[in-house]
Amino acid sequence: APLSGAQGELLDPAWRDPSGPPRKAGSRGKQALHGPLHGVRVADFARGLAGPTCTEYLAQMGADVIKVEAPEGDIHRGHGLNFVPHNVGKRGMCIDFRAKDSPEVRRALVRSAAVVFASFRPRAMAALGLDAATLSQVNPNAICAWLSGYGEGTGWQDVAGLDPILHSLGGTYAVQGGGAQSPMFFNFA
């Protein structure tokens, strides 16, 4: 489900109902999260499962995690089983990366963050101004973390590291189908 709100508007989480859009900040009251990372802001540009899982751990330790999503939402937003547990306690921000003011909205968030976390491929990171060189100019004190399916300098760094691709490469689909059956999508037991 698409997110609502103006470009760059900070939104409260609505992860209990992942099909619905987040509400404007303050509409549910402030959650009192205290922990070793209380007061640390994390700009979360991660998508899918692996990246949001990493930033969820930071939120559990008290960080103010702001998950950035495009208007159409995260690719796992429609899958409550996968989306909800990895995004609890995060606030949301809708940024349309195609909009003219998108670069300035992203820069403003990066300037306010102590940690910037992303899970795009390197070319996309550079195009969005989320590469290490650009981020260090915008906020030289930020810790920049990048998660990739295959690592940097492997020759595979620009290939999407999504679950179906990784299962295909690892042979899981062939084993799951087995014998005379066609390969099939990996299912949770």
Side-chain angles (χ1 to χ4, degrees):
L3 296 172
S4 64
Q7 174 82 338
E9 179 181 13
L10 192 58
L11 305 166
D12 262 348
W15 312 135
R16 288 188 179 88
D17 179 12
S19 62
R23 297 175 290 268
K24 291 185 179 180
S27 63
R28 289 192 311 122
K30 295 184 178 180
Q31 292 180 327
L33 293 177
H34 295 286
L37 297 180
H38 181 73
V40 174
R41 174 169 287 169
V42 178
D44 179 4
F45 291 93
R47 303 182 304 170
L49 286 179
T53 300
C54 295
T55 54
E56 171 57 24
Y57 293 141
L58 301 177
Q60 288 176 14
M61 290 187 278
D64 176 22
V65 179
I66 300 173
K67 180 176 177 64
V68 175
E69 293 184 68
E72 59 273 9
D74 187 285
I75 58 176
H76 281 97
R77 182 170 268 278
H79 306 287
L81 176 64
N82 288 329
F83 185 79
V84 175
H86 304 288
N87 291 289
V88 171
K90 297 179 185 180
R91 294 191 292 160
M93 180 179 280
C94 178
I95 299 180
D96 183 349
F97 291 164
R98 297 172 300 252
K100 284 184 180 181
D101 63 344
S102 174
E104 185 49 45
V105 172
R106 286 192 308 269
R107 282 192 294 271
L109 178 58
V110 167
R111 276 192 289 274
S112 73
V115 178
V116 179
F117 193 97
S119 62
F120 296 102
R121 291 171 277 181
R123 285 187 197 155
M125 299 269 286
L128 294 171
L130 296 172
D131 57 298
T134 304
L135 290 174
S136 66
Q137 291 174 1
V138 175
N139 184 347
N141 296 317
I143 297 168
C144 301
W146 169 62
L147 181 66
S148 155
Y150 309 98
E152 197 170 358
T154 64
W156 286 67
Q157 63 267 12
D158 285 310
V159 176
L162 298 171
D163 201 50
I165 296 170
L166 296 170
H167 280 292
S168 295
L169 290 170
T172 308
Y173 289 160
V175 172
Q176 183 107 342
Q181 288 183 328
S182 299
M184 58 190 291
F185 189 73
F186 182 74
N187 293 310
F188 292 102

